Amino acid sequence: MREPSSAIQQMGRSGIREIFDLANTIPDALHLEMAEPDFPTPAHIVEAAHRAAVAGVTTYTPNAGIPELREALADKIATRNGVEAAADRVVVTPGAIAALFSSFLALCDPGDQVLIPDPGWPNYAMIATMQRLDAVRYPLRFDQGFTPDPETIERLITPKTKAILLNSPSNPTGAILEGSELATLLELAADHDLWVISDEVYDEIVFDRSVAPAAAAHDPDRVVTVWSFSKTYSMTGWRVGYALAPRSLSSLLVKTQEPTTACVNGPAQMAALEAVTGPQSVVAGMVSEYRTRRDAAVGILTGAGIPHSVPSGAFYLWIDVSGTGISSADFCRRLLHSCQVAVTPGSAFGRSGEGFVRVSLASETGLLTEGIGRLATSVEAWSTADR
Ligand code: PLP
C-alpha cells in the first residue's frame, strides 16, 4: 500500500483537544478548558432556523451565502466594525475556520511563508501544515502586553513571506490591538507588500470598549478579515463564519467553497441573519457575564500574587505558572489528576506559551472561582515543594 499524505500524518493534534479528552475521563472535573460559550443559542435565533427548515430553505444556497445575509453582514461590518464594504465582498463560510482555511488557500502557494502569532490559536499552524505552507511564528511577550512587535516581525520577513496573520482580541491572551498599533502593522505589511489575514472572531466580546478596532479600516485592499457567529451569539455548532476581502480576492474565496463545502446550510444561514439583525441585548448580556467572571477570577489571582494577563477581550485568562518550574503540559495533567481542574497548557499555543496556562471564562462564576482557587493553591504549594 502506498503511504497516505506525509503532511497530514505528521500534523500534530491540537494540544487543546488532548487535555479536553483527558478531562472527560475524570469524573467531577471542573472544565475550565472549554473554548465555547456556556450559554444556549438565544431562542429567537433557534426559532428562525426552525422556520427556515419548515419553509423549505433546505437546498444548496449560492457558494458565497444567501444574498440577504451578505447584505446584513455588510451593514454590520460598516456600523459595528467601521469598514464600508459592498455585500459582494462578504463571503459566508462554514465557521471562521473555513474562512481562514480559504483565505490561506486563496492567497498562498505551497512553500510560501506565513507569519503567525506565538502564542496563537493552534489551528493556524495546522492549516499551514495541511496546505504545505511554512508557518513562521512571531513571539508575543508579556512585557509588551502580548501585542505584536513590528521590529520583531520585520526581522522574520523573507522574500517567501506572503501574509501576516493577526488575531485581536487574542485567543489565548485576550490582548486587543489598538488603532495605532494596527496602523503600524499595516504600514509594515504595505512596505513589504504582504497580505494581512485578520482573525477578529472575538470582535464583540470586549470588556472596556464597545467593539474592537478592525484592521481592514486601515488598509481595506490588503486585509482579509474573518469573523464568526460562534462566540458572539453562542453558535459554535451552527458553523457560520464570514470573511470580508478585497473584491479581487473575495471571488477566489468563493471559488474555494465550490469544491470543498459548497455552502453553509440554509437554516443556519437564516439563524445567522436573525442573530445579526435581531436584538443585540443577548450579546451585551453574555459579555457582561464574562466581565463579572473575569473580575472575580482576576481578584483571586492578584490576591495570590500569580502573574496573569487581564483580558481586554475574548474569554480567556492567560496565567503564568512558570514559578512552579513544571512544564505547562505537566502542570495541567497534575492539576487535573490531583485537583480535578482542567485548564489548557500554554505550550499548545506555541513555544512562547510554555510556562503559561489558559483558563476559559465560559464557566459559571461559582465553578470558575472554585477552579481558580484550587489552581492558585496548587501554584503556591508546587512552587515551594518543587524548589
Ligand atoms: N479563531 C479563533 C481565534 C478561535 O479561537 C476560534 C475558535 O475557537 C476560531 C477562529 C474558529 O471559530 P469558528 O467556530 O467560527 O470556526
Side-chain angles (χ1 to χ4, degrees):
M1 216 41 126
R2 310 273 308 253
E3 276 289 305
S5 157
S6 55
I8 305 303
Q9 287 192 80
Q10 280 157 23
M11 184 171 74
R13 284 190 77 202
S14 162
I16 299 180
R17 255 300 137 196
E18 250 168 61
I19 197 78
F20 179 76
D21 291 347
L22 193 60
N24 280 338
T25 66
I26 311 275
D28 305 329
L30 295 182
H31 289 275
L32 305 187
E33 83 286 21
M34 308 296 284
E36 57 184 336
D38 57 321
F39 306 104
T41 303
H44 66 284
I45 299 175
V46 179
E47 281 155 18
H50 181 244
R51 277 196 307 274
V54 171
V57 187
T58 50
T59 57
Y60 293 124
T61 76
N63 295 138
I66 291 174
E68 303 91 286
L69 177 57
R70 295 174 79 196
E71 289 288 347
L73 290 172
D75 194 44
K76 176 263 174 185
I77 292 166
T79 53
R80 295 187 223 160
N81 303 106
V83 187
E84 291 293 336
D88 65 351
R89 290 177 47 206
V90 178
V91 184
V92 180
T93 60
I97 292 182
L100 288 162
F101 196 90
S102 287
S103 302
F104 281 109
L105 200 58
L107 288 174
C108 301
D109 287 308
D112 284 348
Q113 279 176 351
V114 288
L115 294 170
I116 63 172
D118 182 359
W121 190 48
N123 295 39
Y124 305 138
M126 295 173 82
I127 293 173
T129 303
M130 288 178 79
Q131 297 185 13
R132 279 67 166 170
L133 308 179
D134 182 10
V136 176
R137 311 204 63 152
Y138 61 87
L140 302 173
R141 289 175 30 190
F142 205 162
D143 60 359
Q144 294 175 336
F146 295 111
T147 54
D149 173 36
E151 283 173 22
T152 307
I153 292 187
E154 187 153 36
R155 280 196 292 275
L156 297 171
I157 296 172
T158 73
K160 293 191 113 189
T161 312
K162 197 71 169 284
I164 307 179
L165 184 130
L166 302 177
N167 173 217
S168 171
S170 153
N171 175 8
T173 70
I176 293 185
L177 286 168
E178 296 297 335
S180 58
E181 291 166 331
L182 280 171
T184 309
L185 289 163
L186 264 297
E187 271 167 34
L188 177 69
D191 288 348
H192 294 271
D193 196 19
L194 303 179
W195 290 96
V196 172
I197 301 172
S198 186
D199 179 344
E200 301 181 19
V201 302
Y202 295 95
D203 63 332
E204 298 195 59
I205 304 181
V206 293
F207 301 121
D208 307 315
R209 67 186 95 205
S210 54
V211 80
H218 296 271
D219 193 348
D221 292 335
R222 188 170 295 285
V223 182
V224 186
T225 314
V226 171
W227 289 280
S228 176
F229 285 84
S230 289
K231 318 286 175 168
T232 311
Y233 298 100
S234 196
M235 290 177 67
T236 49
W238 295 75
R239 312 309 303 132
V240 195
Y242 51 105
L244 173 73
R247 193 164 282 112
S248 58
L249 201 61
S250 59
S251 55
L252 298 186
L253 294 183
V254 176
K255 232 193 212 182
T256 67
Q257 299 222 110
E258 173 61 41
T260 51
T261 54
C263 62
V264 176
N265 74 80
Q269 290 192 62
M270 294 312 282
L273 180 60
E274 174 62 26
V276 76
T277 55
Q280 299 305 301
S281 51
V282 290
V283 181
M286 290 189 259
V287 172
S288 159
E289 185 59 33
Y290 293 135
R291 188 189 289 106
T292 303
R293 296 171 184 179
R294 175 195 71 163
D295 294 344
V298 159
I300 297 172
L301 293 169
T302 307
I306 300 171
H308 58 276
S309 66
V310 179
S312 306
F315 45 71
Y316 308 103
L317 287 172
W318 188 238
I319 305 171
D320 183 349
V321 297
S322 60
T324 60
I326 311 170
S327 78
S328 62
D330 283 347
F331 179 92
C332 291
R333 279 186 216 113
R334 204 160 148 181
L335 189 71
L336 185 57
H337 289 299
S338 56
C339 304
Q340 293 75 51
V341 179
V343 301
T344 312
S347 52
F349 300 88
R351 206 173 287 164
S352 304
E354 186 50 84
F356 289 83
V357 296
R358 189 193 72 176
V359 165
S360 165
L361 300 175
S363 276
E364 157 292 89
T365 315
L367 293 180
L368 176 69
T369 51
E370 173 62 31
I372 293 276
R374 290 186 207 172
L375 179 144
T377 308
S378 304
V379 170
E380 199 188 349
W382 298 342
S383 298
T384 7
D386 290 355
R387 271 199 192 129

